[in-house]
Structures are given as C-alpha cells and as structure tokens.
C-alpha cells in the first residue's frame, strides 16, 4: 500500500493557471491545497470558493502564507513576480513548483537554484511538455545515440493569429511576449532532447509589428485592447551556438502572415528526427530510409496532471525535483542572451558561472 502521507500545499497567484494546479492537486491522493495567496483583494478567497478548496485559508500577502503549516507551494504568479515569491518560499523551507519560464535574467535563475541548495528544498519548473510520451520517445532515440552526433536543430512554433491579452502583453507583468509565453516550451523540449548542451552565444531579433498594429488590435481583441499598451515582442528568432559545434535555431511568433514557422527537427551524423511527424531518417544498408515512430495519445491535461503528481510524489519521497531548476539554467541563459542580443542587434556571448 502506497504511503499517502498528506502533502499540504499553498498556491501563490490565483489567476488563470493556478486553477489548473488546484484542480490537479484535488485529483492526487493525499495532496491538499490548504492556502492561497493573491495580491488582488478578494481574489484568493474567490479562488478557494470557485475550486471548492475546503478549509483553505486566503491571504493577501504570500509572506504571511509562508508562515502557515504547509510544506510545498505552487508559484503561479505572472513572470515578473516569479523571483521574489520563489526566493521567499525556499528561504521559508518550502518545496517549490514554479511555473514556466523559470526566469529571464540568468542572475535570478542562479539565485533561485542556489537558494534551493542552501535550503535543501526542491525547485521544480512547470514544463509539463516533458511528460508528453512522444517527446520522451524522441529523447530516448537521441540519448541512445540513434542520430549520432546532433550538430543542428530547429525548434519553435507559431500562431497565425494568437496574441493573448491581459498580463501577457505588458512588460511590467510578463517581462517578455511570445518567446516567454509559448517559445520557452519549444526551447526546453529541444534542449532536453539534445541532452542540455551548454550555450555559448546567441544572435537574436524580436519584433512587435502585430501587437502594435491598430488594425490587428481591432480584429483580435474587439477593440478592447489598445496597441499602445502592448510593449512585449510578438515574434522572436535566435541563432544559438552550443558546445561541441552544434547550433539550435529557435523561432516563435504569436502572429504572422503564415501558418507555421516549421517543424522541430534534429540533424545528426547518423540520422535525423522530425519531432512533429515523429519520423526518424536513417541510412540502413546504404539506403536513405525513414521510419515512423509509434505515436501515443497525449494531451495538455494529462501532462499537467502528471506534472502535479510527480511534484507531490517527489515531496513525499524527499526528492529529487522532477524538473530541477538547475537543469533549466541553460535555457534561462539563452533567454537572457536572446533579449540582450535583440536589444544590441548583435551576437552576444553567454557567460555561465558555476552554480
Ligand atoms: N504551464 C502552463 O501550461 C502555463 C499556462 C499558462 C500560464 N503559465 C504561466 O503561469 C504564470 C501565470 O500565468 P496566468 O495566466 O495564471 O497569469 P494571471 O495574470 O492570470 O495570474 C497571475 C496572478 O498572480 C497574482 N500575483 C501577481 N503578483 C503577485 C504576488 N506578488 N503575490 C501574490 N499574487 C500575485 C496576480 O494578481 C494574478 O492573480 C505565468 O508565468 C505563465 O507563464 C503556464
């Protein structure tokens, strides 16, 4: 019989994604959301009522919540408010499940990882895409040497018309736009499949032609959003030099006059892999051949549930973190360099101090 010791969880930030956390915690045996904090008056209590979190206490200040009797927290604040609650939670001795992206400034990512080590607590990052069995299968192929040395990859994605609103389009809350909202998943997936290579340099560009367009704003938001309030990027591209002479090209967009920015794929000396099609290109008996890998059904909801389950299990078992913060530092360094490069309009070096 499995040990189902109760795991008492708090949620910081009671907005959109926090609801997905609350619903999944309710489905994990032994996990219980006992506290919710949000800076907006009444929001934490409204959230508790909406999700039927019986007995949970509402807080306006997460620092006060961290003094409550709980051992883990989900941090679901917008990107600009990831750092302080994470540091405070770790310093208060709580295990942390932090929503993506971990950080945009590398210095903040390093601080968080060091704080987790000092406190001997887990810092896990919310990339549920790692629980997609198709991504896991692709990773196994690459890790078992099926492609030989991977020297080039492309990743990213895009929407023809899909600029979100709310806190996502303002630098003050989101820090960045499409790159952080949807791009960071592709970046994480590609790096994870490639074995988390060290980044050396980044040359990037970003733009905001659609978010700033009155025509697009009128169409996309029914006139409720003003283009002058939009101050993040809706498009980003980066050429990322990695260790061992490998290159990753990253492309993402919230809006464009096109359907797709192309597939995620990997080129190796012994084979190639198209992640979207799950097609493996190889050269058997000197014949250029391709094999379709078996595709397994998977959806966002299942992956999200697995992310919450894995975190609760890790808290119960005393670790390790399912998606450790320190394994997200290369991606964080790339994001940091991407924005610097775009601002400087030049390639920038990635400096990665030891943790
Ligand atoms: N994993 C996923 O699939 C997924 C999906 C959507 C969003 N996200 C991530 O989740 C985070 C939140 O996104 P969202 O859509 O829920 O945003 P949101 O704006 O709907 O909610 C954020 C909430 O945090 C609160 N908040 C901000 N600062 C706070 C503070 N200091 N203390 C307490 N509360 C504070 C806000 O008042 C708001 O209620 C973002 O980082 C986003 O990238 C992840």
């Amino acid at each position: 019989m499995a040990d189902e010791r109760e795991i008492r969880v708090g949620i910081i930030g009671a907005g959109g994604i926090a609801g997905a956390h609350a619903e999944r915690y309710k489905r994990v045996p032994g996990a219980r959301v006992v506290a919710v904090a949000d800076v907006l008056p009444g929001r934490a209590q409204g959230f508790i009522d909406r999700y039927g979190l019986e007995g949970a206490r509402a807080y306006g200040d997460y620092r006060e919540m961290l003094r409550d009797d709980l051992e883990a927290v989900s941090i679901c604040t917008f990107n600009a408010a990831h750092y302080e609650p994470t540091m405070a939670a770790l310093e208060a001795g709580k295990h942390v499940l932090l929503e993506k992206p971990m950080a945009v400034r590398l210095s903040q990512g390093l601080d968080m990882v060091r704080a987790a080590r000092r406190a001997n607590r887990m810092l896990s990052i919310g990339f549920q895409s790692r629980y997609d069995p198709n991504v896991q299968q692709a990773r196994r192929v690459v890790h078992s040497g099926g492609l030989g040395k991977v020297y080039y990859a492309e990743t990213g994605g895009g929407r023809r018309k899909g600029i979100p609103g709310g806190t996502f389009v303002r630098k003050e809350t989101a820090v960045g736009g499409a790159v952080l909202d949807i791009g960071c998943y592709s970046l994480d997936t590609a790096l994870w499949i490639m074995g988390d290579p060290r980044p050396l340099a980044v040359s990037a560009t970003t733009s905001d032609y659609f978010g700033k367009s009155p025509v697009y704003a009128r169409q996309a938001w029914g006139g409720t959003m003003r283009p002058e309030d939009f101050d993040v990027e809706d498009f980003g591209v980066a050429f990322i030099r990695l260790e061992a002479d490998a290159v990753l090209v990253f492309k993402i967009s919230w809006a464009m006059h096109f359907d797709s920015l192309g597939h995620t794929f990997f080129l190796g000396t012994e084979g190639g892999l198209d992640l979207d099609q799950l097609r493996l290109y190889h050269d058997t008996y000197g014949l250029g051949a391709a094999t379709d890998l078996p595709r397994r059904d998977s959806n966002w909801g299942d992956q999200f549930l697995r992310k919450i389950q894995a975190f609760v299990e890790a808290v119960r078992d005393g670790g390790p973190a399912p998606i450790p913060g320190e394994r997200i530092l290369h991606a964080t360094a790339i994001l940091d360099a991407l924005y610097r490069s775009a601002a400087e309009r030049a390639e920038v070096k990635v400096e990665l101090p030891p943790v």
Side-chain angles (χ1 to χ4, degrees):
M1 172 89 187
D3 165 22
E4 281 178 7
R5 175 172 71 81
E6 184 174 80
I7 303 297
R8 298 163 65 80
V9 182
I11 295 179
I12 303 179
I17 205 59
H21 283 247
E23 279 174 350
R24 292 347 182 259
Y25 279 120
K26 283 167 74 176
R27 291 167 58 187
V28 178
R32 194 148 76 87
V33 176
V34 298
V36 178
D38 199 291
V39 274
L40 294 181
R43 191 169 253 211
Q45 188 57 54
F47 183 90
I48 289 169
D49 297 342
R50 185 159 1 108
Y51 290 98
L53 304 174
E54 237 168 81
R57 289 170 292 281
Y59 293 90
D61 182 346
Y62 68 83
R63 289 176 189 278
E64 216 180 297
M65 186 192 94
L66 291 172
R67 290 195 283 273
D68 203 335
D69 175 22
L70 40 101
E71 59 185 305
V73 291
S74 271
I75 298 190
C76 301
T77 44
F78 40 68
N79 303 341
H82 279 189
Y83 177 69
E84 277 156 20
T86 299
M87 294 296 286
L90 291 167
E91 281 159 11
K94 316 299 179 192
H95 297 291
V96 170
L97 172 57
L98 170 61
E99 265 306 336
K100 45 61 60 175
M102 175 166 80
V104 180
R105 295 214 337 251
L106 176 61
S107 58
Q108 293 193 341
L110 289 162
D111 279 359
M112 292 185 206
V113 168
R114 288 173 182 144
R117 285 215 185 139
R118 269 197 311 275
N120 194 23
R121 290 295 179 273
M122 284 186 292
L123 169 62
S124 196
I125 312 301
F127 284 110
Q128 68 274 355
S129 35
R130 290 197 182 191
Y131 295 105
D132 179 340
N134 301 304
V135 169
Q136 293 175 345
Q137 178 179 216
R139 183 170 180 265
R140 280 195 298 274
V141 168
V142 174
H143 280 232
S144 64
L147 304 189
K149 172 192 153 60
V150 175
Y151 57 89
Y152 181 79
E154 286 192 18
T155 194
R159 304 170 179 160
R160 183 156 178 189
K161 239 179 189 195
I163 301 186
T167 58
F168 284 82
V169 297
R170 292 163 202 264
K171 205 175 251 171
E172 191 189 4
T173 46
V175 188
V179 168
L180 301 183
D181 176 29
I182 49 179
C184 69
Y185 289 109
S186 316
L187 190 61
D188 179 65
T189 297
L191 291 172
W192 193 52
I193 287 177
M194 294 173 83
D196 202 24
R198 190 182 174 89
L200 304 177
V202 175
S203 183
T205 187
T206 58
S207 62
D208 58 3
Y209 295 116
F210 291 85
K212 282 285 188 209
S213 150
V215 176
Y216 185 95
R218 223 176 19 249
Q219 290 173 358
W221 298 301
T224 58
M225 183 99 198
R226 298 178 316 162
E228 55 270 32
D229 293 333
F230 184 100
D231 62 356
V232 292
E233 81 287 346
D234 55 41
F235 177 75
V237 176
F239 181 92
I240 304 157
R241 289 185 192 281
L242 302 166
E243 63 180 317
D245 283 332
V247 164
L248 173 62
V249 167
F250 164 79
K251 312 173 274 190
I252 199 76
S253 118
W254 267 341
M256 59 184 162
H257 293 303
F258 214 53
D259 290 323
S260 161
L261 286 168
H263 290 182
T264 290
F265 66 88
F266 303 87
L267 300 185
T269 51
E270 308 297 323
L273 178 69
D274 182 325
L275 181 66
D276 301 52
Q277 290 187 301
L278 280 183
R279 182 163 296 161
L280 181 62
Y281 294 81
H282 47 92
D283 198 29
T284 308
Y285 308 118
L287 302 168
T291 306
D292 287 333
L293 302 173
R295 183 177 293 279
R296 300 233 328 254
D297 281 348
S298 177
N299 60 49
W300 184 88
D302 295 343
Q303 293 161 24
F304 210 97
L305 176 60
R306 189 62 205 118
K307 151 170 124 177
I308 299 294
Q309 277 171 338
F311 179 62
V312 171
E313 283 161 16
V315 171
R316 190 174 280 137
D317 296 347
I323 304 177
E326 61 232 68
R327 304 299 292 175
I328 309 297
L329 286 175
H330 288 172
T332 306
I334 291 171
L335 294 176
D336 184 303
L338 182 152
Y339 285 111
R340 279 190 289 125
S341 167
E344 292 174 22
R345 293 173 162 71
E347 177 168 289
V348 299
K349 290 221 165 348
V350 176
E351 308 288 349
L352 260 164
V355 187

